[in-house]
Amino acid sequence: MARRYDSRTTIFSPEGRLYQIEYAMEAISHAGTVLGVLAKDGVVLAAEKRVTGKLLDLSSAKEGGGYGGSGEKMFLLNSNVIGGVAGITSDANSLVNYARTVAQQHLLQYNDDIPVELLAQRLCDMKQGYTQFGGLRPFGVSLLYAGYDPHYHFQLYHSDPSGNYSGWKATCIGANNGTAQSLLKQEYKDDLGVEEAIGLVLRVMSKTMDSTTLGSEKLEFAVLTYDEAAKAPKAKIYKPAEIDALLRAEGLAKKDEDTEMK
Amino acid sequence: METSFALTGKGYVIVAADTTAIRSIVKMQIDQDKIKELSPHLLMAYSGEPGDTVQFAEYVERNIRLYQIRNLYPLRPAAAASWIRRSIAETLRTRNAYSVNLLLGGYDTSSHTPNLYWIDYMGTVVEVPFAAHGYGSYFALSLLDRYHDPEASLEEGLATLKRCIDEVSKRLVVDPGKYKVKVVDKDGIREVEI
């Protein structure tokens, strides 16, 4: 019955639903988890990578002088905003590119970093357009925006294919987001420091990820803080070696004795 | 030629402009307000080519207000100055260039500091502790060099402003007469009698 109303995005079903958007969200629920937690002095993002394997060439991520990340889940959108994506990777790349352009246009006009909520809004305005006109399918991507601006300091936003967004203290998108969300609800406290937030994120990730133990091949990690000396936000997307070091420090790294055979 | 002054102090910016509208040898109006209120914490005094001045000032006022209504935040003084600079610079080498000089004074509610920008018709923008436009600037700037104190109270700031106004009255061949003086601080904008 629903089949008759889902071939075009620009029409409602008789029950008042937009099927294409719901199908887009369904696609995202199969993608790698992205988790975000807001602390009083920073924002932490972690994501599960799905594109892994021995033959994958990650040399640019490991040693590269770029902004960090393997280019699958975490992206620097502007010097004050990091984006975590879940869904169809090519759609995500397109949105990330758009977000970066929007941020730079704002910088050109106003010589000022774009406020985080404004960036989320611009992306959402575009995503909404794809649900109402043009006859094109919606973007199959949900994003988490972790950012800082002088107006409202640290913020975490989530936007989905419908073009709706909201601000969160802690949230999760992608596979197993229900489990992660309830874990976060139990364990999140207001007034968390960034260090505690990192611990919380890693613990929740280890419980919701498909693989048994955490490691840098399957995990992407980013933190946004404020550098008091430089008086500017500091966005850091961790390199694989740094992720492994962090996991060892939190006591969540793969234990070597598990792989040893007698 | 129209005179305007502005100076910063402890948590405030004072912006003053003369109130005469002159065409050749005639004073057409003696109570014109040449200081636009762009947002609750942003003042802009304008001077220059008649017609261009009000046209550009209103264009800036409407756009800054639109930004504030459309987006969730008012533009901070530094961002507003950049936007204004870009508007002037982009039209500079076209037929629609605006010949307008501005003094942009504002209170940044995020960093809690007063900011003052001197902007000229070519799109020069500099952040300054005090500034002036017009023939009056030749008399005022040296007085401000000597007497300006960035940590002065409002009363002291107004006293310094009065020195500049009196000197212009004494020495400039066309005495501007009355000035409109506005102050912007953390509580917003208000007019003061000098």
Side-chain angles (χ1 to χ4, degrees):
Chain A
M1 209 20 210
R3 296 289 144 204
R4 284 199 276 162
Y5 304 103
D6 58 13
S7 48
R8 283 157 51 189
T9 51
T10 50
I11 55 176
F12 281 103
S13 78
E15 305 98 55
R17 291 157 71 174
L18 291 167
Y19 280 109
Q20 281 300 304
I21 295 167
E22 295 185 16
Y23 297 159
M25 306 224 214
E26 181 61 28
I28 294 161
S29 67
H30 299 305
T33 318
V34 184
L35 189 57
V37 168
L38 185 68
K40 60 179 193 289
D41 54 342
V43 196
V44 182
L45 286 179
E48 179 191 2
K49 287 200 277 192
R50 285 291 167 90
V51 182
T52 56
K54 237 174 59 168
L55 294 174
L56 197 62
D57 179 4
L58 291 167
S59 49
S60 55
K62 288 200 163 102
E63 303 108 37
Y67 299 110
S70 63
E72 190 199 330
K73 304 296 280 181
M74 301 281 184
F75 297 90
L76 186 76
L77 300 183
N78 194 33
S79 42
N80 64 323
V81 188
I82 302 177
V85 308
I88 300 175
T89 307
S90 42
D91 285 7
N93 287 149
S94 174
L95 284 178
V96 163
N97 195 41
Y98 178 75
R100 287 169 169 168
T101 314
V102 159
Q104 290 307 308
Q105 275 167 0
H106 189 279
L107 191 65
L108 180 67
Q109 282 263 289
Y110 301 103
N111 200 27
D112 200 20
D113 281 335
I114 188 168
V116 193
E117 192 170 351
L118 208 56
L119 181 60
Q121 261 182 2
R122 293 269 182 275
L123 265 156
C124 285
D125 287 344
M126 178 164 115
K127 290 204 256 186
Q128 190 277 339
Y130 278 76
T131 68
Q132 198 171 17
F133 40 76
L136 302 165
R137 67 165 174 81
F139 287 94
V141 192
S142 267
L143 293 105
L144 289 188
Y145 310 79
Y148 174 91
D149 60 48
H151 307 276
Y152 292 121
H153 310 291
F154 295 103
Q155 298 149 75
L156 176 66
Y157 295 100
H158 160 226
S159 73
D160 63 24
S162 66
N164 199 25
Y165 77 93
S166 37
W168 293 85
K169 296 182 191 176
T171 190
C172 181
I173 53 177
N176 302 322
N177 68 47
T179 328
Q181 196 81 23
S182 34
L183 276 167
L184 285 171
K185 229 190 269 189
Q186 287 170 357
E187 303 208 28
Y188 182 81
K189 296 186 309 276
D190 287 319
D191 275 355
L192 273 178
V194 129
E195 296 303 323
E196 295 171 273
I198 290 175
L200 173 62
V201 163
L202 290 172
R203 273 177 285 122
V204 175
M205 275 308 267
S206 69
K207 288 183 191 152
T208 58
M209 265 168 70
D210 286 338
S211 40
T212 44
T213 48
L214 292 182
S216 60
E217 328 81 54
K218 296 232 84 182
L219 192 66
E220 271 199 50
F221 199 80
V223 175
L224 187 98
T225 47
Y226 187 76
D227 187 346
E228 291 294 337
K231 294 252 193 297
K234 186 166 139 190
K236 183 178 167 70
I237 301 179
Y238 282 52
K239 292 200 170 55
E242 294 169 321
I243 296 177
D244 283 324
L246 187 65
L247 289 169
R248 274 193 297 275
E250 297 283 331
L252 289 164
K254 270 202 264 281
K255 294 189 180 42
D256 287 332
E257 52 265 31
D258 286 346
T259 61
E260 267 177 31
M261 298 279 281
K262 255 207 81 191
Chain B
M1 219 271 222
E2 300 154 318
T3 302
S4 47
F5 312 116
L7 55 118
T8 57
K10 198 169 175 62
Y12 65 82
V13 185
I14 303 171
V15 180
D18 75 297
T19 53
T20 52
I22 299 177
R23 297 290 176 270
S24 130
I25 56 168
V26 179
K27 278 190 193 166
M28 302 280 274
Q29 190 185 354
I30 52 169
D31 59 357
Q32 192 186 47
D33 183 357
K34 301 179 200 170
I35 306 178
K36 282 235 175 273
E37 298 172 24
L38 305 181
S39 84
H41 293 94
L42 206 54
L43 283 173
M44 184 176 77
Y46 55 84
S47 54
E49 187 77 43
D52 277 2
T53 46
V54 176
Q55 189 76 346
F56 186 71
E58 284 184 355
Y59 171 74
V60 171
E61 180 188 39
R62 302 294 138 84
N63 272 284
I64 303 244
R65 233 185 253 166
L66 178 63
Y67 183 97
Q68 194 174 310
I69 295 171
R70 206 186 243 168
N71 306 317
L72 312 143
Y73 322 87
L75 264 182
R76 284 150 60 219
S82 292
W83 189 87
I84 292 171
R85 185 205 73 78
R86 188 158 282 282
S87 304
I88 298 178
E90 276 170 357
T91 51
L92 185 64
R93 294 179 199 284
T94 66
R95 276 189 325 104
N96 318 313
Y98 288 104
S99 191
V100 187
N101 301 311
L102 307 164
L103 290 175
L104 185 73
Y107 187 78
D108 186 339
T109 47
S110 304
S111 64
H112 312 291
T113 53
N115 297 110
L116 176 62
Y117 297 89
W118 183 94
I119 303 172
D120 81 351
Y121 68 97
M122 291 184 287
T124 314
V125 173
V126 271
E127 188 178 358
V128 285
F130 57 82
H133 274 303
Y135 289 126
S137 66
Y138 294 116
F139 307 103
L141 287 173
S142 38
L143 278 169
L144 288 163
D145 271 334
R146 168 70 181 83
Y147 293 109
H148 177 253
D149 174 9
E151 293 298 309
S153 69
L154 184 62
E155 292 71 37
E156 289 168 333
L158 288 168
T160 309
L161 180 71
K162 186 128 197 345
R163 277 187 198 267
C164 300
I165 290 175
D166 290 345
E167 190 65 22
V168 174
S169 296
K170 196 163 140 187
R171 288 293 188 178
L172 189 61
V173 70
V174 187
D175 179 6
K178 266 191 86 259
Y179 285 76
K180 193 159 271 280
V181 182
K182 294 187 185 174
V183 173
V184 58
D185 60 16
K186 65 175 175 21
D187 301 320
I189 294 171
R190 60 186 187 286
E191 207 181 310
V192 295
E193 285 300 316
I194 194 84

